[in-house]
Amino acid sequence: MIIHTVANPDPSLMKDLCAQYGAIVFQEREQQVVVLASKVRELEPRFLPLVREKFVFDDDIQLGSARYRSKKREVHFGDIAIGGATENTVFIAGPCSVESRAQIETVCERLVKEEIKVLRAGAFKPRTSPYVFQGLGTEGLQLLGEMRQKYNLSVITEVRDATHVDAVIEVADIVQIGAKAMYDHGILRACGKSRKPVLLKRGFGSTLQELVQAAEFMLSSGNENVILCERGIRTFETKTRFTLDLCGVAYLKEHTNLPVVVDTSHAMGYRYGVPDLTRAAAAMGVDGLLIESHPTPDKALSDAAQQIDLDTLSELVASVRKVAKAVGRKVV
Ligand code: PEP
Ligand code: MN
């Protein structure tokens, strides 16, 4: 159940309400929102004057649900908006990791040439093995900050743990929470305290319900700028790295009010499949696409097999623009 209270509710009544029902209270634009646990159905009569709207939910998909807000949330970064009534599909591209100044500059030059406005690259990499490249860390973040200024790009980069969330928020336009960090409550809580847009990736072993529940942690802390990302889930199939869950994308579009981005690179794991999958996702009218691209993919220090080279990226963005147009959307 959710109650929207009027702008200036009686503070003592609010205090009682929180104490009695363990409610979460946060500010959403001009009003305070009170969220009660989904099992609370009826309130004591003295609290009823506070209630402006009441929703009864059967599960914990609440603030992020289409029932709570039938209109999709609009998220802004740089001079771009996605979601809402925009019909925009943002094309996000860049290498898995920032590796050097020369590497990232080469990528940025190509992005600018192709009018791609969002650079993605990891500085803090959550790798599966401790014996491989872990990212340039703070030095990588600094390089991203420089690229952002020099090329007038928005930057998305990931947080590996809660200790550097503030440093990433300082530099990035969008904070990425990776698949392995989807359940990291230190990160979720730190990102919930900010208003910075967050791209929350679905854990590869997580249900759609669990993905949205993780998003609810940030939404119920007052960060309205949450974007969901499907990046492939683990199935019985081993020929591809993961399985891109486009059914899940359809579910999220239908049942949530959050913008949805599709990362085809991590789902496929091999570069040959990335262009077709990206066009397929674009045809679904998603809010964004996230593609890993590297000047010399075979030499990449992380995710070498799946990164496409820059010429393939140029061809891909051109074809995605056509697909998007065919389904009434615009690539930004
Ligand atoms: C990445 O985006 O480079 C990454 C590590 O992705 P994921 O968290 O989806 O595995
Ligand atoms: Mn990667």
Side-chain angles (χ1 to χ4, degrees):
M1 187 198 317
I2 293 183
I3 306 160
H4 284 234
T5 62
V6 284
N8 292 307
D10 175 350
S12 67
L13 209 53
M14 286 293 283
K15 214 169 140 220
D16 284 358
L17 179 76
C18 291
Q20 194 164 328
Y21 295 96
I24 299 172
V25 182
F26 66 94
Q27 193 73 25
E28 191 183 90
R29 299 208 184 101
E30 80 289 356
Q31 66 192 355
Q32 272 189 310
V33 179
V34 178
V35 188
L36 302 175
S38 30
K39 62 182 185 303
V40 178
R41 304 248 151 179
E42 299 304 333
L43 290 176
E44 236 182 72
R46 68 189 176 112
F47 296 122
L48 295 181
L50 292 173
V51 177
R52 203 158 90 186
E53 278 184 283
K54 174 181 164 182
F55 301 83
V56 178
F57 294 100
D58 297 326
D59 58 29
D60 289 329
I61 301 185
Q62 300 197 15
L63 296 167
S65 73
R67 278 186 51 219
Y68 174 58
R69 274 198 199 179
S70 55
K71 213 172 138 242
K72 196 174 263 197
R73 291 168 191 262
E74 197 168 304
V75 177
H76 294 252
F77 43 89
D79 56 3
I80 296 172
I82 58 168
T86 67
E87 304 293 348
N88 286 339
T89 296
V90 63
F91 198 97
I92 303 167
C96 181
S97 303
V98 195
E99 297 173 3
S100 66
R101 178 181 294 277
Q103 173 238 24
I104 202 71
E105 293 243 20
T106 307
V107 174
C108 290
E109 278 159 19
R110 184 63 68 108
L111 298 191
V112 170
K113 181 164 175 272
E114 299 303 340
E115 296 177 24
I116 296 169
K117 300 203 180 79
V118 188
L119 167 68
R120 66 134 282 148
F124 297 97
K125 298 301 298 180
R127 304 303 303 282
T128 307
S129 164
Y131 307 118
V132 294
F133 180 62
Q134 304 292 307
L136 295 181
T138 309
E139 189 194 330
L141 197 56
Q142 247 166 22
L143 275 173
L144 288 174
E146 282 182 43
M147 297 304 112
R148 181 177 179 277
Q149 293 294 334
K150 180 167 175 185
Y151 294 96
N152 193 25
L153 293 164
S154 292
V155 163
I156 170 165
T157 190
E158 70 192 289
V159 285
R160 187 174 56 210
D161 60 67
T163 60
H164 50 248
V165 172
D166 290 341
V168 169
I169 285 176
E170 188 95 18
V171 172
D173 297 279
I174 306 173
V175 177
Q176 176 176 318
I177 301 180
K180 298 182 199 97
M182 191 199 92
Y183 286 115
D184 186 320
H185 284 236
I187 292 177
L188 293 175
R189 284 173 198 278
C191 290
K193 281 196 201 125
S194 160
R195 297 292 172 271
K196 185 69 79 171
V198 175
L199 181 112
L200 177 66
K201 285 190 158 195
R202 179 182 182 184
F204 50 75
S206 305
T207 62
L208 297 163
Q209 168 88 20
E210 289 161 344
L211 170 65
V212 183
Q213 281 175 310
E216 295 276 342
F217 273 97
M218 294 182 281
L219 297 169
S220 64
S221 302
N223 190 347
E224 292 197 68
N225 300 307
V226 180
I227 303 162
L228 301 177
C229 179
E230 161 60 26
R231 48 75 74 208
I233 52 172
R234 184 155 281 162
T235 66
F236 53 80
E237 186 52 72
T238 56
K239 296 292 187 203
T240 57
R241 189 178 182 192
F242 295 98
T243 297
L244 185 62
D245 183 12
L246 292 183
C247 296
V249 172
Y251 173 89
L252 296 172
K253 283 183 65 192
E254 180 72 13
H255 292 286
T256 78
N257 58 36
L258 304 169
V260 178
V261 165
V262 179
D263 166 359
T264 53
S265 300
H266 291 85
M268 185 67 205
Y270 301 99
R271 71 180 63 97
Y272 72 85
V274 171
D276 280 348
L277 282 173
T278 307
R279 286 185 284 266
M284 291 184 72
V286 293
D287 302 291
L289 298 159
L290 189 153
I291 314 300
E292 284 194 343
S293 183
H294 192 285
T296 48
D298 285 332
K299 295 192 183 134
L301 299 180
S302 57
D303 286 347
Q306 70 197 30
Q307 302 205 54
I308 58 173
D309 64 30
L310 298 177
D311 288 342
T312 308
L313 179 72
S314 295
E315 286 165 24
L316 178 57
V317 71
S319 68
V320 165
R321 286 187 202 282
K322 290 187 206 153
V323 174
K325 194 166 171 221
V327 296
R329 299 189 68 98
K330 185 167 183 281
V331 172
V332 294

